[in-house]
Amino acid sequence: IPRAVIFLKHSKRVLDCELSKIVDLLYVLPEAKELHAKREHLLLDIKEEDSCIQDRLSHINYYSTHIKDTKELLSSMATQYNDAKFSLPQKPFFLFNWLSLGTLGGSYRRKLAVWNQTCMPVVQSYEGLEVDLKLDTEDLEKYNKELSLHKNNYQKLLKELEMVNSKLISLVN
């Protein structure tokens, strides 16, 4: 048992040393050195693509949630918006305004000022949310397309890495 304990303590160091010598001998060959460099480059590219995929997924998650919340808010504000749009005072016909000696025009301006204070904020926020929804939807589509491109590129890189690994294995055999 003491020999087994000693072997267990020192085997990692011995095996690492032997393995590094074998690997160094393998990479002395020009083909293996070139394949190793290509493999390292591919691994960096794969890591970068994976990072891009994760970034796009987080953006997609954010925009999906934001779009859902905006739609809910718009649906809850729809009646207020429609009421506000409906209550917008109409400008009097010029002939009626002339016949009333301008009192209808003054009344219209007062009603419009009140409408601007009470209803205009609702209309502006609703229409602003509609614009936000449109822009967020466009961004979501853009990130979905980018995600698809990055996933395709990721798969191509994995296949290329698999080919390089098989060539390295064939050199060892």
Side-chain angles (χ1 to χ4, degrees), residues 122-159:
V122 172
V123 170
Q124 287 176 334
S125 64
Y126 187 88
E127 290 174 352
L129 285 171
E130 285 180 327
V131 170
D132 287 346
L133 181 65
K134 180 180 180 273
L135 293 174
D136 288 347
T137 304
E138 290 172 0
D139 286 343
L140 179 63
E141 289 173 7
K142 178 185 84 165
Y143 283 118
N144 277 324
K145 287 178 185 176
E146 288 178 6
L147 177 66
S148 176
L149 291 174
H150 285 291
K151 280 185 173 180
N152 288 340
N153 195 25
Y154 184 81
Q155 291 301 322
K156 287 178 187 176
L157 289 171
L158 284 178
K159 286 180 183 177

Side-chain angles (χ1 to χ4, degrees), residues 83-98:
D83 291 344
K85 290 293 272 187
F86 182 73
S87 68
L88 178 66
Q90 297 295 319
K91 191 171 185 174
F93 184 60
F94 79 94
L95 188 57
F96 294 142
N97 190 35
W98 182 71

Side-chain angles (χ1 to χ4, degrees), residues 26-51:
L26 175 67
Y27 291 138
V28 169
L29 300 171
E31 288 178 49
K33 197 179 275 188
E34 182 181 316
L35 287 173
H36 177 69
K38 187 173 184 178
R39 181 179 184 278
E40 293 299 317
H41 181 71
L42 284 172
L43 287 172
L44 288 174
D45 288 347
I46 288 171
K47 190 174 184 178
E48 185 179 327
E49 283 299 319
D50 185 51
S51 174

Side-chain angles (χ1 to χ4, degrees), residues 50-69:
D50 185 51
S51 174
C52 287
I53 289 171
Q54 295 307 317
D55 182 55
R56 296 314 180 268
L57 286 173
S58 67
H59 280 92
I60 288 170
N61 185 35
Y62 167 76
Y63 281 111
S64 297
T65 304
H66 196 260
I67 287 170
K68 179 181 160 249
D69 293 343

